[in-house]
């Protein structure tokens, strides 16, 4: 009788333990990638962002005063680095783009040279996303050149979704380039209240989406974004695993196959 009781208790403990493991594995399947744009020009919040207690994907602009420094520091701290490629918008000042921007008046050859030079200027870059770019991401000629370079250099592309007319998904699928799409901006409105609202929205999204991508920025709003994220990262971790874009791509490839 005692042996039977011990066996029943042991089985109960085993199945309880197994259930906890299954639950943990289910939680880990929900992933969030936090992307921070606009590094490379000694922007406000850079240090605070890079010191956050989470692995981020950091988008660094080319040819600027701290391009190399920021990319090297991000990499050394375990973050993933991508090129934040300046692209012409439908509206906005050209001065906002920075050097080496991709504009609609460039020939294919000029685009090829500028994109490759930009990639070379950002150490450890494993992907590209667009800085501004509402005009260029809707242009099939130009995006084809950019995505073909991504394929040649084994880079992925993150569409920041600054245009509803973006052709990235269509062309990347055709060419065979791994691509992802932004789903939420933390700080398009420069107030702490808005960033908190967006971060709360992100946490809610983890309850229905297996993987989510959200973008924030250094610069004018950088310190606010860093402060809010530092406060909310523990809450986010309760709902999902914070990962790099490459990690989400790996899961995406597994699902496709």
């Amino acid at each position: 009788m005692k042996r039977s009781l011990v066996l029943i208790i042991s089985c109960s403990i085993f199945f309880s333990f197994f259930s906890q493991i299954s639950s943990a594995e289910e939680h880990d399947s929900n992933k969030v990638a936090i992307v921070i744009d606009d590094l490379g020009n000694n922007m406000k919040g850079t240090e605070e962002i890079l010191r956050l207690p989470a692995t981020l994907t950091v988008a660094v602009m080319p040819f600027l005063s701290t391009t190399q420094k920021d990319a090297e520091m991000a990499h050394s701290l375990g973050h993933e680095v991508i090129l934040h490629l300046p692209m012409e918008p439908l509206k906005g000042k050209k001065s906002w783009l920075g050097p080496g921007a991709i504009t609609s008046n460039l020939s294919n050859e000029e685009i090829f040279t500028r994109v490759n030079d930009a990639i070379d200027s950002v150490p450890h870059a494993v992907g590209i996303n667009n800085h501004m770019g509402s005009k260029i991401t809707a242009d099939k000629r130009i995006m084809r050149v950019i995505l073909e370079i991504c394929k040649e250099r084994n880079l992925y592309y993150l569409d920041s979704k600054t245009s509803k007319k973006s052709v990235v998904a269509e062309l990347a699928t055709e060419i065979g380039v791994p691509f992802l799409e932004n789903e939420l901006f933390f700080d398009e409105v420069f107030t702490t209240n808005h960033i908190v609202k967006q971060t709360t929205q992100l946490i809610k999204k983890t309850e229905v989406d297996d993987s989510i991508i959200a973008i924030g920025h250094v610069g004018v709003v950088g310190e606010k974004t860093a402060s809010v994220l530092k406060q909310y990262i523990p809450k986010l971790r309760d709902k999902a695993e914070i990962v790099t874009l490459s990690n989400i791509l790996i899961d995406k490839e597994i699902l496709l196959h």
Side-chain angles (χ1 to χ4, degrees), residues 134-194:
S134 53
K135 184 173 184 177
I136 299 302
T137 54
D139 188 310
K140 283 191 174 183
R141 175 185 73 87
I142 297 175
M143 284 312 305
R144 183 176 293 278
V145 176
I146 293 170
L147 290 169
E148 284 176 348
I149 293 170
C150 286
K151 185 170 185 179
E152 287 175 8
R153 301 195 59 163
N154 196 30
L155 305 174
Y156 62 75
Y157 191 91
L158 168 66
D159 186 357
S160 299
K161 297 296 284 185
T162 55
S163 170
K164 293 180 180 179
K165 296 181 179 180
S166 172
V167 297
V168 170
E170 175 190 346
L171 289 180
T173 301
E174 176 193 326
I175 295 167
V177 173
F179 74 96
L180 296 159
E181 296 178 333
N182 175 46
E183 297 170 64
L184 180 146
F185 283 104
F186 286 112
D187 47 19
E188 71 274 30
V189 176
F190 297 169
T191 66
T192 299
N193 284 344
H194 180 77

Side-chain angles (χ1 to χ4, degrees), residues 1-14:
M1 183 67 179
K2 286 183 179 179
R3 287 182 179 178
S4 298
L5 184 59
V6 169
L7 180 61
I8 290 169
I9 292 171
S10 298
C11 287
S12 175
I13 292 170
F14 172 79

Side-chain angles (χ1 to χ4, degrees), residues 52-99:
L52 285 173
T55 302
L56 309 173
T57 300
V58 176
V60 182
M61 294 186 68
F63 315 122
L64 294 176
S65 61
T66 61
T67 293
Q68 186 162 352
K69 175 187 171 185
D70 289 353
E72 292 287 3
M73 183 177 179
H75 179 73
S76 70
L77 292 171
H79 302 303
E80 183 159 285
V81 176
I82 62 176
L83 164 65
H84 195 39
L85 184 64
M87 300 183 187
E88 183 180 354
L90 288 168
K91 297 179 182 179
K93 298 178 181 178
K94 282 192 175 181
S95 60
W96 295 346
L97 285 169

Side-chain angles (χ1 to χ4, degrees), residues 106-127:
L106 297 175
S107 68
N108 288 3
E109 291 75 17
E110 288 170 319
I111 295 164
F112 181 87
T113 298
R114 287 195 180 197
V115 174
N116 275 293
D117 286 348
I119 295 167
D120 292 339
S121 79
V122 179
H124 311 293
V126 296

